[in-house]
Amino acid sequence: MKRAIKACWDRPRGKAMKLFNALSFAEDRILLEQLRLVMSNFRSTLIAIVMPPLLYLALANPSNSTTLAWWSVAAVLSNLNLQFYGMRKLASPMALTQARPTAFTLTVFNLLEGLIWGLLPWLVIGSVNWAGLVLVVAVFTGMLGGGLATQSPVPLLYIAFAMPQTLMIASKLWFLGDNSYQILSFATVIYFISLFGQAKNSARFTRSAIEVRFELADSHAKLRAIEHKQTLEQERQRLMQDMHDGLGSSLISALRVVEHNKMDASELADVLKGCIDDLKLAIDSMEPVDDNLLLLLATLRFRLGPRLENTGIKLIWQVEKIPALL
């Protein structure tokens, strides 16, 4: 019995949690990509700016002309606000810390947009003929479908835009009192629910694609780090080998000669200078040169120039434009 009660309790709670997860924002870096998609989609809705004036021309009559004119102005300004906000945000890189404030701002703007379009049926239904009513319902379905295509990467934005319109047109149709209108009211709610389901599915696939892209980027970064570590290890081994074969061999030879008293001080000094030169060359080989051959040659000149001059050899240094190493 307890298990049955617990199952009955957990089932709606699980559905509520799924709904909450669908409406909640993703982590900042994923949310930022979702918002970029949404704001890029705003450009495709720019043509909707001409819709309010056209609706005014089609639906205006002496009883609603003034209020419908103000509604048309408000709808155009709201759309322009979304357009300019999206373009301004996309014009410059956004930091991760801007993801959630931007999402909340867009939610408020979409809520305002939805409320404005939701006012349309209250302004005209009852004062227009049957053709006008069909036009209003067609505009409603078009706005919700267009909002799905534009805002589905972030379901909360779609909810903020679509729910006010749905509630306001459904309530207006319901309060007309006619059975036909009440059935149409119920149909609008069903339509919104079906679109919301599609928005959740679209958002899930979009989020999965973004997550896969970030996982690939993280994997590439890890591979680059491993390759860098291997390169450093190989360089360390090469340096140790060079020091063993060059510097180590010279020091051992000098030690053997000194032990047998076969080398005077000047000769020993020359051997030690050679060892120092080998050590400096090994150190120079570890310096980053960024594929600059000229820098490599300049370092060699700096190290060997004084030694050559001490032996009476004149070093002539002529610099020309040298291509980068490949």
Side-chain angles (χ1 to χ4, degrees):
M1 182 65 178
K2 290 182 179 180
R3 291 182 179 179
I5 295 175
K6 186 176 184 302
C8 293
W9 168 257
D10 289 342
R11 190 177 297 111
R13 196 171 85 174
K15 292 181 179 180
M17 288 301 297
K18 288 182 179 179
L19 179 61
F20 175 78
N21 292 333
L23 296 179
S24 61
F25 294 138
E27 62 176 286
D28 288 347
R29 66 173 185 170
I30 295 177
L31 177 59
L32 202 58
E33 294 301 313
Q34 292 173 317
L35 293 175
R36 287 195 180 102
L37 284 174
V38 171
M39 290 185 290
S40 298
N41 291 338
F42 283 164
R43 299 169 185 172
S44 63
T45 66
L46 187 60
I47 194 173
I49 292 178
V50 303
M51 184 64 67
L54 292 178
L55 289 173
Y56 172 78
L57 294 176
L59 300 174
N61 55 55
S63 63
N64 63 20
S65 177
T66 302
T67 54
L68 194 58
W70 283 109
W71 173 88
S72 177
V73 172
V76 170
L77 292 178
S78 177
N79 192 291
L80 287 175
N81 178 54
L82 277 172
Q83 296 287 342
F84 289 139
Y85 183 79
M87 288 188 291
R88 188 171 68 251
K89 285 295 182 179
L90 290 174
S92 58
M94 289 189 293
L96 291 179
T97 54
Q98 294 180 297
R100 295 187 180 277
T102 302
F104 283 119
T105 302
L106 285 175
T107 301
V108 173
F109 287 165
N110 276 278
L111 180 62
L112 178 62
E113 180 91 349
L115 289 171
I116 290 174
W117 281 96
L119 284 174
L120 180 62
W122 285 86
L123 295 177
V124 299
I125 293 179
S127 63
V128 295
N129 55 22
W130 180 255
L133 174 62
V134 172
L135 177 60
V136 171
V137 174
V139 169
F140 163 75
T141 56
M143 292 299 294
L144 262 62
L148 173 66
T150 304
Q151 300 155 343
S152 59
V154 185
L156 187 59
L157 298 183
Y158 181 67
I159 290 294
F161 175 72
M163 183 172 285
Q165 296 183 65
T166 303
L167 294 178
M168 294 179 77
I169 190 172
S171 60
K172 178 62 177 179
L173 292 172
W174 183 269
F175 289 134
L176 290 177
D178 186 271
N179 288 338
S180 299
Y181 289 127
Q182 290 177 345
I183 292 174
L184 186 58
S185 172
F186 184 73
T188 59
V189 175
I190 297 299
Y191 177 64
F192 165 72
I193 293 174
S194 65
L195 289 182
F196 175 63
Q198 295 179 38
K200 287 198 303 179
N201 292 333
S202 177
R204 184 171 67 252
F205 291 130
T206 301
R207 181 169 176 173
S208 297
I210 294 173
E211 288 174 347
V212 168
R213 192 177 71 184
F214 278 121
E215 288 174 359
L216 289 174
D218 292 341
S219 298
H220 290 162
K222 291 178 181 178
L223 287 175
R224 286 193 296 269
I226 293 173
E227 290 175 355
H228 181 65
K229 185 176 180 180
Q230 291 177 344
T231 301
L232 292 178
E233 180 63 22
Q234 292 172 359
E235 187 66 17
R236 186 186 70 84
Q237 293 177 358
R238 184 194 63 80
L239 178 60
M240 296 300 295
Q241 187 67 37
D242 290 345
M243 293 181 67
H244 177 271
D245 296 340
L247 178 61
S249 178
S250 299
L251 288 174
I252 291 174
S253 298
L255 178 61
R256 293 290 183 266
V257 173
V258 170
E259 288 178 344
H260 294 84
N261 296 320
K262 294 182 178 180
M263 183 180 293
D264 57 24
S266 61
E267 293 175 333
L268 178 60
D270 289 337
V271 172
L272 292 177
K273 288 179 181 179
C275 293
I276 293 174
D277 289 337
D278 288 341
L279 178 60
K280 289 179 178 179
L281 289 173
I283 294 174
D284 289 340
S285 68
M286 298 181 64
E287 294 294 329
V289 295
D290 297 328
D291 299 331
N292 191 336
L293 181 59
L294 185 61
L295 181 58
L296 281 173
L297 296 176
T299 302
L300 181 63
R301 176 203 176 197
F302 177 76
R303 297 299 187 194
L304 298 182
R307 296 294 307 278
L308 294 174
E309 292 177 2
N310 291 336
T311 59
I313 299 176
K314 183 179 180 181
L315 176 63
I316 300 176
W317 178 259
Q318 294 180 344
V319 179
E320 296 181 359
K321 187 176 181 181
I322 300 176
L325 296 175
L326 299 177

